[in-house]
Amino acid sequence: MSLVLKNLGMFIFSIINTIFFSCFAYIAFLLVLVALPLLAVLFSVKRHYKNRKDKSRSLQVAFFHPYCNAGGGGERVLWYAIEAIADKYPYAKISVYTGDIDASPKKISQKVHQQFDIKLPENLNFVYLHKRSWIEASKYPYFTLLGQSIGSMILACEALKNHVPDICVDTMGYAFTYPIFSFMGGCKVISYTHYPTITSDMINKVISRSSSYNNQNFIARNPFFTFVKLIYYRIFALLYRFVGKFADIIMVNSSWTENHIHSLWRRQMITYKVYPPCDTDALQRIPLHRTITGKIKIVSVAQFRPEKNHPLQMKTMYHLRQLVSEQMWENLELVVIGSTRNQEDENWVQDMKDLAKHLSIENNVTFKVNISYNDLKKELEEGE
Ligand SMILES: *[C@@H]1O[C@H](CO)[C@@H](O)[C@H](O)[C@H]1NC(C)=O
């Protein structure tokens, strides 16, 4: 009897063994079947890019900045960097990858001159990218970060198809493009990060289940969605860490960003803190004593985008109203100045106007969208 049982046991064991190993072999076979052609394609594209590289001796530097015409602080960094490189390495050929297909090089240069008082080099080369919609947040209602990141890889491929530089500088923080530029394009990759794509703050917001611009209400309320989102964020953070390995030099705009980048990428030896340029000359000339008009003007300057938390400013005004006298309130004005990059930002402005109405502070809040640097200075002069 026991012999029968033993034999049966052995039999079952050997069946399981066979199933297990055949499954294993099958999966391995599939992997090889998929991986080999994929690798072959990757390497042939890599060789293709290599052949396209300009063989002339001059140094080719390209800046990856798909929204170069947005006119914000990030763009100031871009234009100053270009000016500095053109100054120090006059023989370098500089290009900008941009998705602003409706703006001609001349128009962009004029705007930069008017807005930042920077004269761009005559021979600056603009490489236009047509696939910018791949990195727009509105394309990805769910898994936005991952969608935009993979989109940025596609955009980087388009960039390399048009022009293969020696050095590629990412000034917008699209870290997922680094493997593309580094491995496929054979470029040295320089990164300038204003804001890490994923931060421990964002993860903590999900853990504490508070709703914010990166955590919608329905997710914060539901424990299951919160769990899924947490796993997603953790995997994303791992991927972000991986792509960071492809950067050759890393620059960050502040100690806050530096701390996050240190803990995410752990590449202290090649990370440098470079504060963004700020044109204070003209601002310092603003006279400090103003004519007294009795009016109190508060000036807010920030791009119109969710991270800048304009609703908090509206709520602050709303609370201020409860604190001051009626007469004072009548003389109080909040001027909200900022630029918009696209339709989404325009909608954000409209939302803020609606919010001001909703809080019945609309008579004391003025929006000034995409005004020139001179007008900005004038507003600041009048600010309290
Ligand atoms: C760095 O960039 C972020 C994102 O644009 C911004 O919020 C922050 O104020 C910047 N820090 C400095 C020191 O400019």
Side-chain angles (χ1 to χ4, degrees):
M1 190 62 189
S2 73
L3 200 70
V4 173
L5 268 185
K6 202 169 156 199
N7 275 341
L8 194 68
M10 295 265 286
F11 180 64
I12 291 175
F13 179 73
S14 74
I15 285 187
I16 290 177
N17 230 348
T18 318
I19 292 178
F20 180 76
F21 277 106
S22 56
C23 270
F24 184 76
Y26 186 63
I27 290 173
F29 177 69
L30 269 188
L31 272 181
V32 170
L33 212 63
V34 174
L36 280 185
L38 196 71
L39 276 180
V41 168
L42 279 181
F43 274 99
S44 84
V45 173
K46 184 176 154 80
R47 206 172 45 238
H48 174 72
Y49 286 149
K50 199 168 169 190
N51 290 337
R52 292 186 67 111
K53 219 173 200 164
D54 191 345
K55 300 283 188 320
S56 66
R57 304 295 298 283
S58 67
L59 180 73
Q60 306 267 349
V61 184
F63 286 80
F64 186 75
H65 203 112
Y67 292 93
C68 82
N69 208 22
E75 286 66 52
R76 184 192 290 279
V77 172
L78 167 71
W79 305 125
Y80 264 101
I82 289 175
E83 200 186 30
I85 288 181
D87 246 16
K88 188 145 185 198
Y89 307 99
Y91 51 86
K93 281 197 186 146
I94 309 177
S95 313
V96 180
Y97 295 118
T98 176
D100 291 302
I101 43 178
D102 48 353
S104 67
K106 204 166 151 215
K107 247 166 101 188
I108 298 177
S109 297
Q110 269 169 2
K111 187 171 163 185
V112 170
H113 186 64
Q114 182 211 359
Q115 200 173 14
F116 299 121
D117 206 13
I118 296 174
K119 195 122 187 52
L120 291 179
E122 293 281 321
N123 58 352
L124 182 61
N125 176 33
F126 286 90
V127 181
Y128 287 94
L129 307 177
H130 295 262
K131 295 197 165 81
R132 192 175 72 183
S133 65
W134 283 92
I135 54 170
E136 241 135 70
S138 55
K139 199 179 169 101
Y140 313 99
Y142 304 104
F143 300 103
T144 315
L145 284 183
L146 192 63
Q148 283 182 299
S149 298
I150 292 172
S152 74
M153 296 174 109
I154 292 169
L155 201 62
C157 286
E158 193 195 358
L160 280 180
K161 214 174 105 207
N162 290 314
H163 172 66
V164 186
D166 301 305
I167 300 175
C168 187
V169 192
D170 157 53
T171 32
M172 281 196 80
Y174 286 110
F176 280 71
T177 62
Y178 303 169
I180 305 283
F181 284 123
S182 173
F183 178 71
M184 305 290 279
C187 318
K188 292 273 172 222
V189 174
I190 301 180
S191 149
Y192 189 97
T193 303
H194 293 262
Y195 199 94
T197 310
I198 182 119
T199 63
S200 38
D201 300 3
M202 282 160 76
I203 297 181
N204 289 337
K205 278 233 171 71
V206 180
I207 292 177
S208 67
R209 299 178 61 185
S210 58
S211 61
S212 77
Y213 76 88
N214 71 320
N215 202 25
Q216 290 176 45
N217 234 329
F218 78 91
I219 290 182
R221 275 202 311 262
N222 185 315
F224 175 70
F225 286 153
T226 295
F227 175 72
V228 171
K229 182 150 188 181
L230 210 56
I231 291 179
Y232 160 56
Y233 266 16
R234 294 243 190 261
I235 291 176
F236 186 83
L238 274 181
L239 290 175
Y240 190 70
R241 179 164 295 168
F242 173 72
V243 296
K245 302 271 176 255
F246 289 88
D248 296 285
I249 293 180
I250 300 163
M251 286 176 275
V252 290
N253 81 335
S254 59
S255 354
W256 182 89
T257 305
E258 186 178 44
N259 286 338
H260 280 280
I261 287 297
H262 275 340
S263 71
L264 280 162
W265 286 347
R266 298 186 191 140
R267 307 193 65 198
Q268 274 84 336
M269 295 303 282
I270 54 156
T271 303
Y272 303 88
K273 185 161 56 190
V274 181
Y275 286 114
C278 190
D279 176 18
T280 52
D281 284 358
L283 298 180
Q284 272 166 10
R285 283 200 291 273
I286 293 175
L288 274 181
H289 14 240
R290 296 145 198 171
T291 45
I292 293 162
T293 54
K295 286 218 178 282
I296 302 172
K297 202 163 168 179
I298 306 167
V299 182
S300 146
V301 185
Q303 273 182 304
F304 286 105
R305 50 203 280 185
E307 302 94 293
K308 303 295 181 185
N309 207 346
H310 287 97
L312 187 65
Q313 298 176 17
M314 302 296 134
K315 281 180 214 158
T316 310
M317 272 306 267
Y318 175 76
H319 286 294
L320 196 58
R321 183 176 202 170
Q322 338 274 311
L323 294 174
V324 301
S325 66
E326 190 60 31
Q327 194 198 356
M328 192 166 183
W329 175 251
E330 266 163 28
N331 286 315
L332 213 85
E333 190 190 11
L334 171 67
V335 183
V336 189
I337 302 173
S339 57
T340 56
R341 297 160 301 166
N342 47 27
Q343 190 55 44
E344 242 170 280
D345 291 353
E346 301 280 343
N347 297 346
W348 180 249
V349 175
Q350 194 49 50
D351 286 349
M352 289 311 109
K353 286 181 179 167
D354 293 344
L355 181 61
K357 272 208 192 89
H358 176 71
L359 298 171
S360 9
I361 52 169
E362 78 270 23
N363 293 332
N364 300 57
V365 180
T366 317
F367 289 88
K368 306 228 156 155
V369 186
N370 296 327
I371 61 173
S372 73
Y373 186 65
N374 270 328
D375 289 340
L376 169 68
K377 261 191 329 203
K378 219 163 80 215
E379 290 296 334
L380 287 173
E381 267 171 46
E382 290 168 15
E384 208 61 34

